[in-house]
Amino acid sequence: MVVTIGDVARAAGVSRSTASYALSGKRAISAEVRQRVNDAVRSLGYTANAGARALATSETKVIGLLAQFLEDEFAPAMLQYMLGVSDTARELGYDILLATEADGARALRRITDSRMVDGVVLLNVAQEDDRLDILRDAPQPGALVGLPGDCSELDVFDLDFEEAGRMMVDHMHALGHRELILVSQPQHVVERGGAYVWRLQDAALEQARVRGITLHAMYGESRQPAVGQTLNDLLDAYPGATGLLLNNEAAAAALPSVLHTRGLTVPKDLSVIGRYSDEFARLFSLPFSSIESAPDRLGRMAVRQLVRRIESPEGRNEPYVVRFVSPELVDRGSTGVPGPSRADT
Amino acid sequence: MVVTIGDVARAAGVSRSTASYALSGKRAISAEVRQRVNDAVRSLGYTANAGARALATSETKVIGLLAQFLEDEFAPAMLQYMLGVSDTARELGYDILLATEADGARALRRITDSRMVDGVVLLNVAQEDDRLDILRDAPQPGALVGLPGDCSELDVFDLDFEEAGRMMVDHMHALGHRELILVSQPQHVVERGGAYVWRLQDAALEQARVRGITLHAMYGESRQPAVGQTLNDLLDAYPGATGLLLNNEAAAAALPSVLHTRGLTVPKDLSVIGRYSDEFARLFSLPFSSIESAPDRLGRMAVRQLVRRIESPEGRNEPYVVRFVSPELVDRGSTGVPGPSRADT
DNA sequence: CTGAAAGCGCTTACAG
DNA sequence: CTGAAAGCGCTTACAG
């Protein structure tokens, strides 16, 4: 019922090894034999058994993708990283084994120990991430999206969140703003080790100090309507603030209706700049300029590096890389020179 | 370097077959030997090679998941189906091979022909879906989420969109509404074979006829701000309409700001009912009552049936099922008795 | 209760 | 340019 390379060989009148070589091209084969083998493959509908090939070659042509859907984090953002990884893997000839279970360390151990994959990509890496020690001990290479506290023996890719924080502040400062509010992810995310939150925030605070301007940094909620309330409270608490920085998807999504309710116009009454992906902005139809978080680019870079390490013999021993993507500001017209302070109106 | 069952056997002082049986429990093993084998496994850190096991048993313990991210469709909705499938598969002992490429038929053929999976779940199935013939010819069973035109030899799971359409109309009718607007997905989705769109719409139209009320059925855009404009146009065009039915995520997401701009209050000025998942409502903080689309339940049902077919010997020949999930209305308070028609104000 | 051996379907040195 | 054979790491009849 199931056709094997033996069937192909028989149909082509050659040995199994010749059939195999004809298909792999790993040694010279006469044009005629190659033709007969290819014909046999076609007429029998042969495809190599992946498990058998993996056993013989120690290559699965599968990459493990470890996603983490954490509470208080924005699931659709994760999807974009996943698609970046998946698309790039396919281009490079790999399939994706997806693990979404809560216990990422266990999943990682399972798929690496059993040799189901040639390498793995970890998404949403935390400051202290219990998957990392397992990855370091694994026989397969791995690539991270997200910067952990300890990058030793790891290839790491992440947005340069510190630069993003500075860029937000500088952009506003250049326009003339002197008092800003930054709404970060919920504190819970920070406590869990979401380093990108404090990397952006700390850098923004430092840059505000350097520029001599005021920055009120706050943790926002992760859900509406609570996050909308937070935004309202902050706008009440700091009437002198003329600019709003958002490192919090839920806050960005909630802001339009908050502005509407308060009768505020962007950028006339308030300048706004966010940090999220272009796709996210499209999805939520957000009219705010933003630092593009480029999940597709990061996923792509991680897979490229991973495949390099998997496939090149030297790759395994090349020095490890920690690569930061420079933030890019997508101008959607939501920032401008500060108008009269809201405090004065 | 890599530890095999031979190493375990040697360390335990038994044969490889005994080691294997001790681990699988497929034949009686003395307590002492079992102990020695388990100790060896632990001290050596043994995990069976998945490819070798698959080759020997013809079981991969992997389920293929074919997602389709189509233009004009709402990607985060797809994610919820994926997570339902992935979580249930893991509970049942299966890993997920994820294929997201545009050419789903090719992906399906690749993973089934090469025996990478024991079965496959197809998401977002269209009326005429070129993956179905490939699935029918595949040696592995499959389960669909989404109702195709031809269900023969297939297990199919879907929301009962016709009942959903009737339910929306009846709910409004019972409250006293006599003129309604239905905004469906974009026409493009219909042309591509997104049967759920016309299943809901046709049933809603028929039910409106039965009830003797007016229903204006329209295709909406898939993106803001276009979809917001459509909503505005419709509200202008049908001032007598007192209820709005939404089978279009983008429209649901856009509606709050449209209502806000027009100064309409729900349900006083307009009753609204949507069709989307609870998770979607949470994500977008939508205050509208809705027919729950239950992606997690559907993913779970599909995997359960698939695994039943994979694992039980009779399962392979059990009659095929087409199962519709009954819609449930989640009341978020956005419908009520019609106020004075907007036309009169 | 345990072991020796065959076999799953490939690939790849080894020989010619 | 091609073939016979070994081997990848498992599982499972077959024998005892």
Side-chain angles (χ1 to χ4, degrees), chain B residues 263-291:
Chain B
L264 295 177
T265 302
V266 162
K268 186 170 70 68
D269 305 313
L270 187 70
S271 283
V272 178
I273 186 166
R275 195 281 315 157
Y276 40 74
S277 77
D278 201 54
E279 181 62 23
F280 179 82
R282 226 191 325 266
L283 214 58
F284 284 80
S285 188
L286 293 181
F288 310 125
S289 299
S290 68
I291 304 287

Short mmCIF file of all heavy atoms in Angstrom, two decimals, chain B residues 263-291:
data_model
loop_
_atom_site.label_atom_id
_atom_site.label_comp_id
_atom_site.label_asym_id
_atom_site.label_seq_id
_atom_site.Cartn_x
_atom_site.Cartn_y
_atom_site.Cartn_z
N GLY B 263 -23.25 59.73 18.38
CA GLY B 263 -23.97 60.00 19.61
C GLY B 263 -25.07 59.00 19.91
O GLY B 263 -26.06 59.32 20.56
N LEU B 264 -24.88 57.78 19.42
CA LEU B 264 -25.88 56.75 19.66
C LEU B 264 -25.52 55.92 20.88
O LEU B 264 -24.36 55.59 21.09
CB LEU B 264 -25.98 55.82 18.44
CG LEU B 264 -26.49 56.45 17.14
CD1 LEU B 264 -26.46 55.42 16.03
CD2 LEU B 264 -27.89 57.02 17.34
N THR B 265 -26.52 55.60 21.67
CA THR B 265 -26.31 54.78 22.86
C THR B 265 -26.94 53.40 22.64
O THR B 265 -28.05 53.29 22.12
CB THR B 265 -26.94 55.43 24.09
OG1 THR B 265 -26.39 56.73 24.27
CG2 THR B 265 -26.69 54.59 25.34
N VAL B 266 -26.19 52.39 23.04
CA VAL B 266 -26.67 51.01 22.95
C VAL B 266 -27.15 50.56 24.31
O VAL B 266 -26.46 50.80 25.30
CB VAL B 266 -25.54 50.10 22.46
CG1 VAL B 266 -25.83 48.64 22.76
CG2 VAL B 266 -25.26 50.32 20.98
N PRO B 267 -28.32 49.96 24.45
CA PRO B 267 -29.27 49.62 23.38
C PRO B 267 -30.38 50.65 23.21
O PRO B 267 -31.32 50.36 22.49
CB PRO B 267 -29.86 48.31 23.90
CG PRO B 267 -29.89 48.49 25.38
CD PRO B 267 -28.73 49.37 25.74
N LYS B 268 -30.24 51.79 23.86
CA LYS B 268 -31.35 52.75 23.81
C LYS B 268 -31.68 53.16 22.36
O LYS B 268 -32.83 53.08 21.92
CB LYS B 268 -31.00 54.00 24.64
CG LYS B 268 -32.13 55.00 24.78
CD LYS B 268 -31.81 56.08 25.80
CE LYS B 268 -30.73 57.05 25.37
NZ LYS B 268 -31.15 57.90 24.24
N ASP B 269 -30.65 53.59 21.64
CA ASP B 269 -30.89 54.07 20.28
C ASP B 269 -30.76 52.96 19.23
O ASP B 269 -31.30 53.06 18.14
CB ASP B 269 -29.88 55.17 19.93
CG ASP B 269 -29.91 56.29 20.96
OD1 ASP B 269 -31.03 56.73 21.31
OD2 ASP B 269 -28.83 56.70 21.44
N LEU B 270 -29.99 51.95 19.58
CA LEU B 270 -29.72 50.89 18.61
C LEU B 270 -29.38 49.61 19.36
O LEU B 270 -28.59 49.63 20.30
CB LEU B 270 -28.53 51.30 17.73
CG LEU B 270 -28.19 50.41 16.54
CD1 LEU B 270 -29.26 50.52 15.44
CD2 LEU B 270 -26.82 50.79 15.96
N SER B 271 -30.02 48.51 18.96
CA SER B 271 -29.66 47.21 19.53
C SER B 271 -28.63 46.56 18.63
O SER B 271 -28.71 46.64 17.41
CB SER B 271 -30.91 46.33 19.64
OG SER B 271 -31.70 46.72 20.74
N VAL B 272 -27.65 45.92 19.25
CA VAL B 272 -26.54 45.33 18.48
C VAL B 272 -26.27 43.91 18.95
O VAL B 272 -26.25 43.64 20.15
CB VAL B 272 -25.25 46.16 18.64
CG1 VAL B 272 -24.10 45.51 17.86
CG2 VAL B 272 -25.46 47.60 18.17
N ILE B 273 -26.10 43.02 17.98
CA ILE B 273 -25.68 41.68 18.33
C ILE B 273 -24.67 41.19 17.30
O ILE B 273 -24.84 41.40 16.10
CB ILE B 273 -26.89 40.72 18.44
CG1 ILE B 273 -26.45 39.35 18.94
CG2 ILE B 273 -27.61 40.59 17.11
CD1 ILE B 273 -27.62 38.49 19.37
N GLY B 274 -23.59 40.61 17.79
CA GLY B 274 -22.51 40.17 16.90
C GLY B 274 -22.38 38.67 16.85
O GLY B 274 -23.15 37.93 17.46
N ARG B 275 -21.41 38.22 16.08
CA ARG B 275 -21.07 36.80 16.03
C ARG B 275 -19.56 36.72 16.05
O ARG B 275 -18.91 37.03 15.06
CB ARG B 275 -21.65 36.14 14.78
CG ARG B 275 -21.67 34.62 14.81
CD ARG B 275 -20.31 33.98 14.51
NE ARG B 275 -19.68 34.61 13.38
CZ ARG B 275 -18.38 34.59 13.15
NH1 ARG B 275 -17.57 33.96 13.95
NH2 ARG B 275 -17.88 35.23 12.11
N TYR B 276 -19.02 36.42 17.21
CA TYR B 276 -17.56 36.29 17.36
C TYR B 276 -17.30 35.60 18.68
O TYR B 276 -18.24 35.28 19.41
CB TYR B 276 -16.86 37.64 17.31
CG TYR B 276 -17.55 38.77 18.04
CD1 TYR B 276 -17.54 38.83 19.43
CD2 TYR B 276 -18.21 39.78 17.35
CE1 TYR B 276 -18.17 39.87 20.10
CE2 TYR B 276 -18.85 40.83 18.01
CZ TYR B 276 -18.82 40.87 19.38
OH TYR B 276 -19.43 41.89 20.06
N SER B 277 -16.05 35.35 18.96
CA SER B 277 -15.75 34.59 20.17
C SER B 277 -15.69 35.50 21.39
O SER B 277 -15.46 36.70 21.29
CB SER B 277 -14.43 33.87 20.03
OG SER B 277 -13.36 34.76 20.20
N ASP B 278 -15.86 34.87 22.52
CA ASP B 278 -15.77 35.58 23.78
C ASP B 278 -14.39 36.22 23.95
O ASP B 278 -14.26 37.35 24.40
CB ASP B 278 -16.00 34.57 24.89
CG ASP B 278 -16.42 35.24 26.17
OD1 ASP B 278 -17.40 35.99 26.13
OD2 ASP B 278 -15.77 35.01 27.19
N GLU B 279 -13.37 35.50 23.55
CA GLU B 279 -12.00 36.00 23.65
C GLU B 279 -11.82 37.25 22.79
O GLU B 279 -11.18 38.22 23.18
CB GLU B 279 -11.03 34.90 23.19
CG GLU B 279 -9.56 35.26 23.24
CD GLU B 279 -9.07 35.57 24.64
OE1 GLU B 279 -9.70 35.11 25.61
OE2 GLU B 279 -8.06 36.31 24.75
N PHE B 280 -12.42 37.21 21.62
CA PHE B 280 -12.37 38.37 20.74
C PHE B 280 -13.03 39.58 21.41
O PHE B 280 -12.51 40.69 21.37
CB PHE B 280 -13.08 38.03 19.43
CG PHE B 280 -13.11 39.17 18.45
CD1 PHE B 280 -12.02 39.44 17.65
CD2 PHE B 280 -14.23 39.98 18.34
CE1 PHE B 280 -12.04 40.49 16.75
CE2 PHE B 280 -14.27 41.03 17.45
CZ PHE B 280 -13.17 41.29 16.65
N ALA B 281 -14.18 39.33 22.01
CA ALA B 281 -14.88 40.41 22.69
C ALA B 281 -14.01 41.01 23.80
O ALA B 281 -13.94 42.22 23.98
CB ALA B 281 -16.19 39.88 23.28
N ARG B 282 -13.32 40.13 24.51
CA ARG B 282 -12.46 40.60 25.60
C ARG B 282 -11.31 41.43 25.04
O ARG B 282 -11.00 42.51 25.52
CB ARG B 282 -11.90 39.40 26.37
CG ARG B 282 -11.99 39.56 27.86
CD ARG B 282 -11.21 38.53 28.63
NE ARG B 282 -11.21 37.21 28.03
CZ ARG B 282 -12.05 36.24 28.33
NH1 ARG B 282 -12.99 36.43 29.22
NH2 ARG B 282 -11.94 35.06 27.75
N LEU B 283 -10.69 40.89 23.99
CA LEU B 283 -9.53 41.54 23.38
C LEU B 283 -9.87 42.96 22.97
O LEU B 283 -9.12 43.89 23.19
CB LEU B 283 -9.14 40.74 22.14
CG LEU B 283 -7.69 40.66 21.78
CD1 LEU B 283 -6.91 40.04 22.92
CD2 LEU B 283 -7.52 39.82 20.52
N PHE B 284 -11.03 43.12 22.33
CA PHE B 284 -11.41 44.42 21.81
C PHE B 284 -12.35 45.15 22.76
O PHE B 284 -12.88 46.18 22.41
CB PHE B 284 -12.06 44.26 20.43
CG PHE B 284 -11.07 43.99 19.35
CD1 PHE B 284 -10.56 42.73 19.16
CD2 PHE B 284 -10.62 45.03 18.56
CE1 PHE B 284 -9.62 42.50 18.17
CE2 PHE B 284 -9.68 44.81 17.57
CZ PHE B 284 -9.18 43.53 17.38
N SER B 285 -12.56 44.53 23.92
CA SER B 285 -13.41 45.17 24.91
C SER B 285 -14.76 45.55 24.31
O SER B 285 -15.25 46.65 24.49
CB SER B 285 -12.70 46.43 25.42
OG SER B 285 -13.40 46.98 26.48
N LEU B 286 -15.33 44.64 23.55
CA LEU B 286 -16.59 44.93 22.87
C LEU B 286 -17.77 44.72 23.82
O LEU B 286 -17.90 43.67 24.44
CB LEU B 286 -16.74 44.03 21.65
CG LEU B 286 -15.74 44.31 20.54
CD1 LEU B 286 -16.00 43.37 19.37
CD2 LEU B 286 -15.81 45.76 20.09
N PRO B 287 -18.62 45.72 23.90
CA PRO B 287 -19.74 45.66 24.83
C PRO B 287 -20.99 45.07 24.20
O PRO B 287 -22.07 45.23 24.74
CB PRO B 287 -19.96 47.15 25.16
CG PRO B 287 -19.62 47.85 23.88
CD PRO B 287 -18.54 47.02 23.21
N PHE B 288 -20.85 44.38 23.08
CA PHE B 288 -22.03 43.90 22.37
C PHE B 288 -22.33 42.44 22.68
O PHE B 288 -21.42 41.60 22.73
CB PHE B 288 -21.84 44.04 20.86
CG PHE B 288 -21.38 45.41 20.45
CD1 PHE B 288 -20.23 45.58 19.71
CD2 PHE B 288 -22.09 46.54 20.86
CE1 PHE B 288 -19.80 46.84 19.35
CE2 PHE B 288 -21.65 47.82 20.49
CZ PHE B 288 -20.50 47.96 19.74
N SER B 289 -23.58 42.15 22.88
CA SER B 289 -24.01 40.76 22.99
C SER B 289 -23.62 40.05 21.71
O SER B 289 -23.55 40.66 20.64
CB SER B 289 -25.52 40.69 23.19
OG SER B 289 -25.88 41.36 24.38
N SER B 290 -23.32 38.76 21.84
CA SER B 290 -22.88 38.07 20.62
C SER B 290 -23.20 36.60 20.66
O SER B 290 -23.41 36.00 21.71
CB SER B 290 -21.38 38.26 20.43
OG SER B 290 -20.67 37.56 21.43
N ILE B 291 -23.26 36.04 19.47
CA ILE B 291 -23.32 34.60 19.31
C ILE B 291 -21.89 34.10 19.43
O ILE B 291 -21.03 34.46 18.63
CB ILE B 291 -23.86 34.23 17.91
CG1 ILE B 291 -25.22 34.87 17.67
CG2 ILE B 291 -23.89 32.72 17.75
CD1 ILE B 291 -26.34 34.25 18.44
#
